Amino acid sequence: MPQYSFGAGSLFGTPVGVANATPVQFGTLQSVSVDIDFTLKELYGQNQFPVSVARGQAKIQGKAKTGQIQGALFNNLFFGGSQSTGQQLVALNEAASVPATNPYTVTVANSTGFQADQGVVFAATGVPLAKVASAPATGQYSQSGGTYTFAAADTGVGLLISYSYTSATGGTVTTISNQLQGVAPTFSCVLTTPFGGQNFVLSLNACTSSKLQLATKQGDYMQPELDFMAFADASGTVGKLSVQG
């Protein structure tokens, strides 16, 4: 009975060499492509066509596009960095106005976890204010932690303040460190595409990733894409391909 495959299927990645490693399923999988390539070496005599052709080196390269943004996938299968609980967040255009009394300061809502200033603009015009070290004049501001200081001449003016801050809960933070060349997470992966009561399964025992693409687009979802290459594990096995056709 012939076998058919339909849809993106499901893809799982599991770190190799990590005790009790937790498998990661690529969430809302959009597509997977796997290319299996061999180089060919031809032996020629005096005639136009080769008298023998042999396979040389081979490589298996894959690409997976997912619809979910997953911290465990990014860290465990790509960066291999340290991961902690929490979030790095950005307050975008938080509304405020210059108070009527000295010292003309505004303390932002998330001042406790304040990390970095990302600029201030006039709410009415979108024109940015210039940042100065201290004693701001009209159209200027200074900043220390989560407290912003403005000019007396700008009293009552509406502002939009952007800044980054941290939260101790609600997600994970991966530290991207400057590791030695050659260091990379190794993971196994399993692709399955069940259809019509049949299963196509490709298992690769050892893979490493060369590229993680994070692309945004106006009016569309971010769909992270991970490129990877398979290689032989310690037993000399690359993987298995199972079909029911």
Side-chain angles (χ1 to χ4, degrees):
M1 180 179 178
Q3 179 174 350
Y4 302 97
S5 178
F6 184 84
S10 298
L11 183 66
F12 303 85
T14 305
V16 172
V18 177
N20 301 314
T22 301
V24 179
Q25 181 174 2
F26 287 63
T28 317
L29 190 66
Q30 300 296 297
S31 64
V32 179
S33 63
V34 178
D35 297 324
I36 305 173
D37 296 320
F38 287 86
T39 60
L40 295 178
K41 297 296 181 178
E42 305 91 2
L43 177 64
Y44 289 91
Q46 62 187 14
N47 298 322
Q48 294 180 350
F49 293 97
V51 297
S52 183
V53 177
R55 281 182 175 178
Q57 296 173 327
K59 59 183 177 181
I60 299 178
Q61 293 178 296
K63 182 176 295 189
K65 183 179 289 187
T66 174
Q68 290 184 9
I69 301 170
Q70 300 169 270
L73 187 154
F74 295 165
N75 183 65
N76 299 347
L77 306 188
F78 187 76
F79 290 113
S82 61
Q83 196 169 55
S84 58
T85 301
Q87 293 184 81
Q88 302 280 326
L89 300 168
V90 174
L92 181 63
N93 295 331
E94 184 177 300
S97 59
V98 180
T101 57
N102 192 23
Y104 312 109
T105 59
V106 172
T107 299
V108 295
N110 301 285
S111 61
T112 302
F114 187 91
Q115 189 173 45
D117 172 40
Q118 302 300 338
V120 183
V121 301
F122 288 115
T125 63
V127 174
L129 284 75
K131 187 174 184 178
V132 296
S134 61
T138 183
Q140 298 178 337
Y141 73 97
S142 62
Q143 170 262 323
S144 176
T147 299
Y148 288 71
T149 303
F150 301 92
D154 287 328
T155 295
V157 172
L159 306 167
L160 297 174
I161 304 174
S162 297
Y163 58 94
S164 54
Y165 65 100
T166 61
S167 171
T169 61
T172 59
V173 177
T174 294
T175 299
I176 304 173
S177 57
N178 190 14
Q179 302 184 70
L180 291 172
Q181 293 187 28
V183 175
T186 299
F187 59 93
S188 63
C189 69
V190 175
L191 170 66
T192 177
T193 59
F195 179 69
Q198 298 175 315
N199 279 280
F200 169 93
V201 179
L202 174 64
S203 302
L204 298 173
N205 297 348
C207 303
T208 191
S209 178
S210 60
K211 180 181 178 182
L212 174 62
Q213 184 180 67
L214 305 172
T216 63
K217 185 178 181 181
Q218 182 70 24
D220 206 349
Y221 294 97
M222 178 189 286
Q223 297 179 1
E225 188 170 75
L226 186 79
D227 294 5
F228 58 91
M229 178 178 288
F231 56 97
D233 64 11
S235 69
T237 304
V238 177
K240 293 181 179 180
L241 177 63
S242 172
V243 299
Q244 291 178 252

mmCIF file of all heavy atoms in Angstrom, residues 128-175:
data_model
loop_
_atom_site.group_PDB
_atom_site.id
_atom_site.type_symbol
_atom_site.label_atom_id
_atom_site.label_comp_id
_atom_site.label_asym_id
_atom_site.label_seq_id
_atom_site.Cartn_x
_atom_site.Cartn_y
_atom_site.Cartn_z
ATOM 1 N N PRO A 128 11.350 63.834 19.407
ATOM 2 C CA PRO A 128 12.116 63.333 20.560
ATOM 3 C C PRO A 128 12.755 64.454 21.362
ATOM 4 O O PRO A 128 13.196 65.471 20.807
ATOM 5 C CB PRO A 128 13.177 62.445 19.910
ATOM 6 C CG PRO A 128 13.328 62.971 18.528
ATOM 7 C CD PRO A 128 11.987 63.503 18.122
ATOM 8 N N LEU A 129 12.801 64.251 22.679
ATOM 9 C CA LEU A 129 13.551 65.153 23.548
ATOM 10 C C LEU A 129 15.010 64.715 23.565
ATOM 11 O O LEU A 129 15.312 63.532 23.406
ATOM 12 C CB LEU A 129 12.995 65.129 24.975
ATOM 13 C CG LEU A 129 11.685 65.877 25.245
ATOM 14 C CD1 LEU A 129 10.486 65.111 24.698
ATOM 15 C CD2 LEU A 129 11.508 66.125 26.746
ATOM 16 N N ALA A 130 15.901 65.675 23.764
ATOM 17 C CA ALA A 130 17.330 65.374 23.811
ATOM 18 C C ALA A 130 17.743 65.048 25.241
ATOM 19 O O ALA A 130 17.355 65.742 26.191
ATOM 20 C CB ALA A 130 18.139 66.556 23.288
ATOM 21 N N LYS A 131 18.528 64.003 25.392
ATOM 22 C CA LYS A 131 18.984 63.589 26.715
ATOM 23 C C LYS A 131 20.256 64.357 27.087
ATOM 24 O O LYS A 131 21.185 64.469 26.278
ATOM 25 C CB LYS A 131 19.254 62.082 26.729
ATOM 26 C CG LYS A 131 19.567 61.522 28.107
ATOM 27 C CD LYS A 131 19.670 59.995 28.057
ATOM 28 C CE LYS A 131 19.894 59.416 29.433
ATOM 29 N NZ LYS A 131 19.949 57.932 29.413
ATOM 30 N N VAL A 132 20.291 64.868 28.315
ATOM 31 C CA VAL A 132 21.461 65.580 28.823
ATOM 32 C C VAL A 132 21.831 65.011 30.183
ATOM 33 O O VAL A 132 21.041 64.287 30.810
ATOM 34 C CB VAL A 132 21.197 67.104 28.934
ATOM 35 C CG1 VAL A 132 20.958 67.708 27.554
ATOM 36 C CG2 VAL A 132 20.010 67.375 29.864
ATOM 37 N N ALA A 133 23.023 65.343 30.652
ATOM 38 C CA ALA A 133 23.505 64.794 31.927
ATOM 39 C C ALA A 133 22.732 65.357 33.107
ATOM 40 O O ALA A 133 22.428 64.638 34.075
ATOM 41 C CB ALA A 133 24.993 65.065 32.077
ATOM 42 N N SER A 134 22.390 66.645 33.077
ATOM 43 C CA SER A 134 21.693 67.291 34.195
ATOM 44 C C SER A 134 21.145 68.634 33.729
ATOM 45 O O SER A 134 21.450 69.101 32.625
ATOM 46 C CB SER A 134 22.640 67.495 35.391
ATOM 47 O OG SER A 134 23.730 68.324 35.025
ATOM 48 N N ALA A 135 20.352 69.273 34.589
ATOM 49 C CA ALA A 135 19.790 70.610 34.350
ATOM 50 C C ALA A 135 19.210 70.750 32.941
ATOM 51 O O ALA A 135 19.644 71.602 32.156
ATOM 52 C CB ALA A 135 20.865 71.675 34.580
ATOM 53 N N PRO A 136 18.199 69.979 32.604
ATOM 54 C CA PRO A 136 17.643 70.058 31.245
ATOM 55 C C PRO A 136 16.939 71.384 30.970
ATOM 56 O O PRO A 136 16.283 71.949 31.850
ATOM 57 C CB PRO A 136 16.654 68.891 31.217
ATOM 58 C CG PRO A 136 16.291 68.647 32.646
ATOM 59 C CD PRO A 136 17.514 68.954 33.424
ATOM 60 N N ALA A 137 17.097 71.858 29.742
ATOM 61 C CA ALA A 137 16.355 73.015 29.249
ATOM 62 C C ALA A 137 15.133 72.506 28.492
ATOM 63 O O ALA A 137 14.928 71.291 28.365
ATOM 64 C CB ALA A 137 17.262 73.854 28.347
ATOM 65 N N THR A 138 14.315 73.425 27.983
ATOM 66 C CA THR A 138 13.119 73.007 27.265
ATOM 67 C C THR A 138 13.490 72.072 26.108
ATOM 68 O O THR A 138 14.474 72.293 25.402
ATOM 69 C CB THR A 138 12.335 74.227 26.751
ATOM 70 O OG1 THR A 138 11.125 73.764 26.122
ATOM 71 C CG2 THR A 138 13.167 75.043 25.762
ATOM 72 N N GLY A 139 12.732 70.993 25.968
ATOM 73 C CA GLY A 139 13.018 70.011 24.918
ATOM 74 C C GLY A 139 14.105 69.027 25.298
ATOM 75 O O GLY A 139 14.551 68.252 24.450
ATOM 76 N N GLN A 140 14.510 69.018 26.572
ATOM 77 C CA GLN A 140 15.560 68.109 27.034
ATOM 78 C C GLN A 140 15.086 67.333 28.272
ATOM 79 O O GLN A 140 14.085 67.680 28.901
ATOM 80 C CB GLN A 140 16.831 68.884 27.390
ATOM 81 C CG GLN A 140 17.464 69.632 26.231
ATOM 82 C CD GLN A 140 18.698 70.412 26.665
ATOM 83 O OE1 GLN A 140 18.860 70.747 27.850
ATOM 84 N NE2 GLN A 140 19.578 70.697 25.714
ATOM 85 N N TYR A 141 15.820 66.268 28.612
ATOM 86 C CA TYR A 141 15.552 65.534 29.851
ATOM 87 C C TYR A 141 16.842 64.900 30.337
ATOM 88 O O TYR A 141 17.779 64.679 29.573
ATOM 89 C CB TYR A 141 14.479 64.455 29.630
ATOM 90 C CG TYR A 141 14.944 63.244 28.827
ATOM 91 C CD1 TYR A 141 15.356 62.073 29.457
ATOM 92 C CD2 TYR A 141 14.992 63.265 27.429
ATOM 93 C CE1 TYR A 141 15.769 60.953 28.740
ATOM 94 C CE2 TYR A 141 15.412 62.166 26.694
ATOM 95 C CZ TYR A 141 15.799 61.015 27.352
ATOM 96 O OH TYR A 141 16.221 59.923 26.630
ATOM 97 N N SER A 142 16.884 64.622 31.622
ATOM 98 C CA SER A 142 17.956 63.816 32.197
ATOM 99 C C SER A 142 17.306 62.617 32.876
ATOM 100 O O SER A 142 16.111 62.625 33.183
ATOM 101 C CB SER A 142 18.797 64.623 33.192
ATOM 102 O OG SER A 142 17.992 65.061 34.284
ATOM 103 N N GLN A 143 18.095 61.585 33.099
ATOM 104 C CA GLN A 143 17.534 60.341 33.623
ATOM 105 C C GLN A 143 18.503 59.692 34.592
ATOM 106 O O GLN A 143 19.701 59.614 34.334
ATOM 107 C CB GLN A 143 17.210 59.395 32.459
ATOM 108 C CG GLN A 143 16.838 57.980 32.849
ATOM 109 C CD GLN A 143 18.040 57.037 32.724
ATOM 110 O OE1 GLN A 143 18.860 57.176 31.812
ATOM 111 N NE2 GLN A 143 18.155 56.092 33.652
ATOM 112 N N SER A 144 17.971 59.218 35.709
ATOM 113 C CA SER A 144 18.752 58.467 36.685
ATOM 114 C C SER A 144 17.875 57.327 37.173
ATOM 115 O O SER A 144 16.850 57.548 37.825
ATOM 116 C CB SER A 144 19.162 59.365 37.860
ATOM 117 O OG SER A 144 19.842 58.610 38.844
ATOM 118 N N GLY A 145 18.252 56.099 36.826
ATOM 119 C CA GLY A 145 17.393 54.969 37.139
ATOM 120 C C GLY A 145 16.043 55.148 36.471
ATOM 121 O O GLY A 145 15.959 55.527 35.299
ATOM 122 N N GLY A 146 14.975 54.911 37.227
ATOM 123 C CA GLY A 146 13.634 55.065 36.666
ATOM 124 C C GLY A 146 13.038 56.439 36.838
ATOM 125 O O GLY A 146 11.836 56.633 36.653
ATOM 126 N N THR A 147 13.861 57.436 37.199
ATOM 127 C CA THR A 147 13.380 58.802 37.407
ATOM 128 C C THR A 147 13.884 59.704 36.281
ATOM 129 O O THR A 147 15.086 59.764 36.007
ATOM 130 C CB THR A 147 13.847 59.350 38.763
ATOM 131 O OG1 THR A 147 13.318 58.518 39.802
ATOM 132 C CG2 THR A 147 13.357 60.771 38.963
ATOM 133 N N TYR A 148 12.950 60.417 35.659
ATOM 134 C CA TYR A 148 13.250 61.334 34.557
ATOM 135 C C TYR A 148 13.001 62.761 35.019
ATOM 136 O O TYR A 148 11.982 63.049 35.666
ATOM 137 C CB TYR A 148 12.366 61.027 33.350
ATOM 138 C CG TYR A 148 12.720 59.744 32.618
ATOM 139 C CD1 TYR A 148 12.470 58.502 33.184
ATOM 140 C CD2 TYR A 148 13.297 59.778 31.347
ATOM 141 C CE1 TYR A 148 12.786 57.330 32.531
ATOM 142 C CE2 TYR A 148 13.616 58.618 30.675
ATOM 143 C CZ TYR A 148 13.367 57.391 31.272
ATOM 144 O OH TYR A 148 13.681 56.230 30.605
ATOM 145 N N THR A 149 13.914 63.655 34.685
ATOM 146 C CA THR A 149 13.799 65.069 35.060
ATOM 147 C C THR A 149 13.662 65.920 33.809
ATOM 148 O O THR A 149 14.388 65.712 32.820
ATOM 149 C CB THR A 149 15.027 65.522 35.876
ATOM 150 O OG1 THR A 149 15.155 64.689 37.036
ATOM 151 C CG2 THR A 149 14.891 66.970 36.310
ATOM 152 N N PHE A 150 12.742 66.912 33.874
ATOM 153 C CA PHE A 150 12.455 67.752 32.713
ATOM 154 C C PHE A 150 12.610 69.224 33.071
ATOM 155 O O PHE A 150 12.827 69.582 34.242
ATOM 156 C CB PHE A 150 11.040 67.457 32.201
ATOM 157 C CG PHE A 150 10.847 66.022 31.814
ATOM 158 C CD1 PHE A 150 10.358 65.096 32.734
ATOM 159 C CD2 PHE A 150 11.190 65.572 30.545
ATOM 160 C CE1 PHE A 150 10.201 63.754 32.389
ATOM 161 C CE2 PHE A 150 11.037 64.233 30.199
ATOM 162 C CZ PHE A 150 10.536 63.332 31.128
ATOM 163 N N ALA A 151 12.484 70.073 32.083
ATOM 164 C CA ALA A 151 12.655 71.513 32.275
ATOM 165 C C ALA A 151 11.381 72.137 32.830
ATOM 166 O O ALA A 151 10.261 71.709 32.492
ATOM 167 C CB ALA A 151 13.035 72.174 30.955
ATOM 168 N N ALA A 152 11.540 73.176 33.645
ATOM 169 C CA ALA A 152 10.385 73.909 34.181
ATOM 170 C C ALA A 152 9.555 74.494 33.052
ATOM 171 O O ALA A 152 8.326 74.598 33.150
ATOM 172 C CB ALA A 152 10.875 75.005 35.125
ATOM 173 N N ALA A 153 10.204 74.841 31.955
ATOM 174 C CA ALA A 153 9.489 75.440 30.821
ATOM 175 C C ALA A 153 8.564 74.448 30.123
ATOM 176 O O ALA A 153 7.690 74.852 29.339
ATOM 177 C CB ALA A 153 10.500 75.999 29.819
ATOM 178 N N ASP A 154 8.727 73.165 30.389
ATOM 179 C CA ASP A 154 7.881 72.141 29.752
ATOM 180 C C ASP A 154 6.771 71.657 30.679
ATOM 181 O O ASP A 154 6.148 70.608 30.423
ATOM 182 C CB ASP A 154 8.747 70.950 29.314
ATOM 183 C CG ASP A 154 9.605 71.278 28.103
ATOM 184 O OD1 ASP A 154 9.161 72.075 27.267
ATOM 185 O OD2 ASP A 154 10.720 70.721 28.005
ATOM 186 N N THR A 155 6.494 72.408 31.743
ATOM 187 C CA THR A 155 5.441 72.027 32.691
ATOM 188 C C THR A 155 4.121 71.747 31.974
ATOM 189 O O THR A 155 3.684 72.549 31.126
ATOM 190 C CB THR A 155 5.233 73.151 33.732
ATOM 191 O OG1 THR A 155 6.423 73.279 34.503
ATOM 192 C CG2 THR A 155 4.061 72.842 34.646
ATOM 193 N N GLY A 156 3.497 70.612 32.327
ATOM 194 C CA GLY A 156 2.193 70.260 31.757
ATOM 195 C C GLY A 156 2.238 69.592 30.404
ATOM 196 O O GLY A 156 1.203 69.137 29.895
ATOM 197 N N VAL A 157 3.396 69.512 29.804
ATOM 198 C CA VAL A 157 3.517 68.922 28.476
ATOM 199 C C VAL A 157 3.385 67.396 28.569
ATOM 200 O O VAL A 157 3.960 66.759 29.451
ATOM 201 C CB VAL A 157 4.865 69.298 27.835
ATOM 202 C CG1 VAL A 157 5.082 68.535 26.523
ATOM 203 C CG2 VAL A 157 4.921 70.792 27.578
ATOM 204 N N GLY A 158 2.621 66.803 27.629
ATOM 205 C CA GLY A 158 2.470 65.356 27.584
ATOM 206 C C GLY A 158 3.683 64.676 26.990
ATOM 207 O O GLY A 158 4.287 65.167 26.023
ATOM 208 N N LEU A 159 4.040 63.532 27.548
ATOM 209 C CA LEU A 159 5.238 62.798 27.135
ATOM 210 C C LEU A 159 4.909 61.333 26.880
ATOM 211 O O LEU A 159 3.935 60.797 27.417
ATOM 212 C CB LEU A 159 6.307 62.876 28.230
ATOM 213 C CG LEU A 159 6.710 64.255 28.737
ATOM 214 C CD1 LEU A 159 7.509 64.111 30.016
ATOM 215 C CD2 LEU A 159 7.510 65.012 27.687
ATOM 216 N N LEU A 160 5.746 60.689 26.104
ATOM 217 C CA LEU A 160 5.720 59.242 25.926
ATOM 218 C C LEU A 160 7.129 58.735 26.216
ATOM 219 O O LEU A 160 8.082 59.092 25.514
ATOM 220 C CB LEU A 160 5.285 58.864 24.507
ATOM 221 C CG LEU A 160 3.867 59.286 24.103
ATOM 222 C CD1 LEU A 160 3.620 58.981 22.628
ATOM 223 C CD2 LEU A 160 2.825 58.599 24.974
ATOM 224 N N ILE A 161 7.244 57.933 27.258
ATOM 225 C CA ILE A 161 8.553 57.466 27.722
ATOM 226 C C ILE A 161 8.696 55.978 27.421
ATOM 227 O O ILE A 161 7.811 55.180 27.748
ATOM 228 C CB ILE A 161 8.717 57.704 29.238
ATOM 229 C CG1 ILE A 161 8.508 59.186 29.567
ATOM 230 C CG2 ILE A 161 10.091 57.233 29.714
ATOM 231 C CD1 ILE A 161 8.513 59.472 31.062
ATOM 232 N N SER A 162 9.808 55.599 26.814
ATOM 233 C CA SER A 162 10.104 54.194 26.535
ATOM 234 C C SER A 162 11.357 53.792 27.301
ATOM 235 O O SER A 162 12.329 54.562 27.370
ATOM 236 C CB SER A 162 10.314 53.960 25.037
ATOM 237 O OG SER A 162 9.125 54.254 24.313
ATOM 238 N N TYR A 163 11.314 52.577 27.868
ATOM 239 C CA TYR A 163 12.458 52.102 28.643
ATOM 240 C C TYR A 163 12.377 50.583 28.757
ATOM 241 O O TYR A 163 11.312 49.978 28.584
ATOM 242 C CB TYR A 163 12.480 52.743 30.042
ATOM 243 C CG TYR A 163 11.230 52.481 30.852
ATOM 244 C CD1 TYR A 163 11.157 51.420 31.748
ATOM 245 C CD2 TYR A 163 10.106 53.294 30.712
ATOM 246 C CE1 TYR A 163 10.002 51.175 32.496
ATOM 247 C CE2 TYR A 163 8.947 53.057 31.439
ATOM 248 C CZ TYR A 163 8.900 51.996 32.328
ATOM 249 O OH TYR A 163 7.753 51.745 33.048
ATOM 250 N N SER A 164 13.495 49.964 29.044
ATOM 251 C CA SER A 164 13.522 48.528 29.277
ATOM 252 C C SER A 164 13.645 48.266 30.774
ATOM 253 O O SER A 164 14.220 49.069 31.516
ATOM 254 C CB SER A 164 14.669 47.866 28.515
ATOM 255 O OG SER A 164 15.904 48.483 28.814
ATOM 256 N N TYR A 165 13.058 47.132 31.186
ATOM 257 C CA TYR A 165 13.087 46.781 32.601
ATOM 258 C C TYR A 165 13.013 45.266 32.747
ATOM 259 O O TYR A 165 12.762 44.545 31.768
ATOM 260 C CB TYR A 165 11.931 47.448 33.353
ATOM 261 C CG TYR A 165 10.554 46.993 32.947
ATOM 262 C CD1 TYR A 165 9.840 46.052 33.694
ATOM 263 C CD2 TYR A 165 9.934 47.510 31.803
ATOM 264 C CE1 TYR A 165 8.571 45.640 33.326
ATOM 265 C CE2 TYR A 165 8.661 47.102 31.427
ATOM 266 C CZ TYR A 165 7.985 46.169 32.195
ATOM 267 O OH TYR A 165 6.728 45.759 31.820
ATOM 268 N N THR A 166 13.253 44.788 33.948
ATOM 269 C CA THR A 166 13.245 43.358 34.205
ATOM 270 C C THR A 166 12.075 42.992 35.103
ATOM 271 O O THR A 166 11.605 43.798 35.903
ATOM 272 C CB THR A 166 14.553 42.906 34.878
ATOM 273 O OG1 THR A 166 14.685 43.573 36.135
ATOM 274 C CG2 THR A 166 15.757 43.229 34.007
ATOM 275 N N SER A 167 11.635 41.742 34.962
ATOM 276 C CA SER A 167 10.635 41.162 35.845
ATOM 277 C C SER A 167 11.160 39.819 36.318
ATOM 278 O O SER A 167 11.757 39.067 35.534
ATOM 279 C CB SER A 167 9.296 40.985 35.115
ATOM 280 O OG SER A 167 8.390 40.237 35.907
ATOM 281 N N ALA A 168 10.936 39.504 37.587
ATOM 282 C CA ALA A 168 11.474 38.264 38.153
ATOM 283 C C ALA A 168 10.630 37.052 37.797
ATOM 284 O O ALA A 168 11.039 35.919 38.049
ATOM 285 C CB ALA A 168 11.577 38.387 39.666
ATOM 286 N N THR A 169 9.462 37.250 37.206
ATOM 287 C CA THR A 169 8.555 36.146 36.908
ATOM 288 C C THR A 169 8.051 36.238 35.474
ATOM 289 O O THR A 169 8.252 37.237 34.787
ATOM 290 C CB THR A 169 7.345 36.154 37.858
ATOM 291 O OG1 THR A 169 6.617 37.392 37.677
ATOM 292 C CG2 THR A 169 7.768 36.027 39.300
ATOM 293 N N GLY A 170 7.400 35.161 35.045
ATOM 294 C CA GLY A 170 6.650 35.213 33.794
ATOM 295 C C GLY A 170 7.353 34.703 32.564
ATOM 296 O O GLY A 170 6.780 34.728 31.479
ATOM 297 N N GLY A 171 8.584 34.237 32.664
ATOM 298 C CA GLY A 171 9.272 33.753 31.468
ATOM 299 C C GLY A 171 10.654 33.246 31.791
ATOM 300 O O GLY A 171 10.963 32.890 32.934
ATOM 301 N N THR A 172 11.499 33.196 30.769
ATOM 302 C CA THR A 172 12.889 32.783 30.945
ATOM 303 C C THR A 172 13.809 33.758 30.226
ATOM 304 O O THR A 172 13.427 34.371 29.220
ATOM 305 C CB THR A 172 13.140 31.368 30.385
ATOM 306 O OG1 THR A 172 12.814 31.341 28.986
ATOM 307 C CG2 THR A 172 12.295 30.335 31.119
ATOM 308 N N VAL A 173 14.997 33.883 30.743
ATOM 309 C CA VAL A 173 16.021 34.744 30.143
ATOM 310 C C VAL A 173 17.249 33.902 29.854
ATOM 311 O O VAL A 173 17.788 33.247 30.743
ATOM 312 C CB VAL A 173 16.394 35.910 31.079
ATOM 313 C CG1 VAL A 173 17.522 36.744 30.465
ATOM 314 C CG2 VAL A 173 15.175 36.779 31.369
ATOM 315 N N THR A 174 17.678 33.894 28.602
ATOM 316 C CA THR A 174 18.897 33.194 28.196
ATOM 317 C C THR A 174 20.034 34.191 28.077
ATOM 318 O O THR A 174 19.907 35.214 27.390
ATOM 319 C CB THR A 174 18.695 32.486 26.846
ATOM 320 O OG1 THR A 174 17.730 31.450 27.004
ATOM 321 C CG2 THR A 174 19.996 31.870 26.348
ATOM 322 N N THR A 175 21.127 33.912 28.744
ATOM 323 C CA THR A 175 22.317 34.756 28.635
ATOM 324 C C THR A 175 23.154 34.270 27.453
ATOM 325 O O THR A 175 23.590 33.115 27.417
ATOM 326 C CB THR A 175 23.152 34.701 29.923
ATOM 327 O OG1 THR A 175 22.362 35.184 31.015
ATOM 328 C CG2 THR A 175 24.405 35.553 29.789
#
